[in-house]
C-alpha cells in the first residue's frame, strides 16, 4: 500500500498531472485535446504526460515514431490509482 501512496502523492501534487489523469480516465486523447478539454497549456500537458508515462500510469497508444496525432490512454494501474484518489476525495 505504501507504493500506492507514493504514486497517489505523485499524482495529486501537480494540478497538471491531476488534469491529465482526469481527462484520460474518460477516454484516450491527444495532448492537444487534453489541453483544450482541461484548459491548460500544451507544454504543461506534454510535461505531465512524460512524467506519468515514466511511472507507467499512462501509455502511448500509437507508434512511438509518430509525431502528430499521438494518442494517450490511462493504464490499468493508472485507473486503479485514479479510482482510489476519487474514492478518498483527494482531488475535486
Amino acid at each position: 500500500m505504501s507504493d500506492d501512496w507514493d504514486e497517489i502523492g505523485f499524482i495529486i501534487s501537480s494540478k497538471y498531472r491531476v488534469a491529465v489523469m482526469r481527462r484520460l480516465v474518460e477516454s484516450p486523447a491527444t495532448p492537444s485535446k487534453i489541453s483544450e478539454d482541461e484548459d491548460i497549456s500544451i507544454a504543461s500537458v506534454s510535461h505531465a504526460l512524460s512524467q506519468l508515462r515514466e511511472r507507467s500510469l499512462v501509455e502511448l497508444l500509437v507508434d512511438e515514431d509518430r509525431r502528430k496525432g499521438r494518442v494517450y490512454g490511462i493504464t490499468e494501474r493508472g485507473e486503479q490509482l485514479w479510482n482510489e484518489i476519487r474514492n478518498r476525495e483527494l482531488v475535486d
Side-chain angles (χ1 to χ4, degrees):
M1 183 65 183
S2 77
D3 283 349
D4 286 357
W5 284 112
D6 286 344
E7 296 292 350
I8 287 169
F10 172 75
I11 295 166
I12 66 174
S13 66
S14 163
K15 67 180 181 180
Y16 302 114
R17 289 190 291 262
V18 167
V20 168
M21 294 288 284
R22 178 187 302 118
R23 175 56 189 80
L24 289 180
V25 82
E26 293 173 19
S27 65
T30 61
S32 58
K33 182 67 174 148
I34 297 167
S35 171
E36 177 185 316
D37 291 349
E38 294 295 322
D39 195 29
I40 55 179
S41 75
I42 192 82
S44 296
V45 169
S46 294
H47 187 65
L49 282 168
S50 265
Q51 294 173 324
L52 293 166
R53 266 188 89 193
E54 284 176 14
R55 293 179 179 238
S56 299
L57 301 174
V58 302
E59 61 189 340
L60 182 62
L61 300 177
V62 298
D63 190 83
E64 190 71 43
D65 296 332
R66 190 168 178 175
R67 289 290 153 229
K68 292 205 178 246
R70 290 169 67 100
V71 178
Y72 291 85
I74 194 166
T75 62
E76 187 176 322
R77 174 89 174 124
E79 193 166 352
Q80 289 170 347
L81 290 169
W82 183 252
N83 288 336
E84 185 70 21
I85 289 166
R86 296 298 298 164
N87 291 339
R88 293 182 181 266
E89 299 178 348
L90 299 174
V91 295
D92 293 327

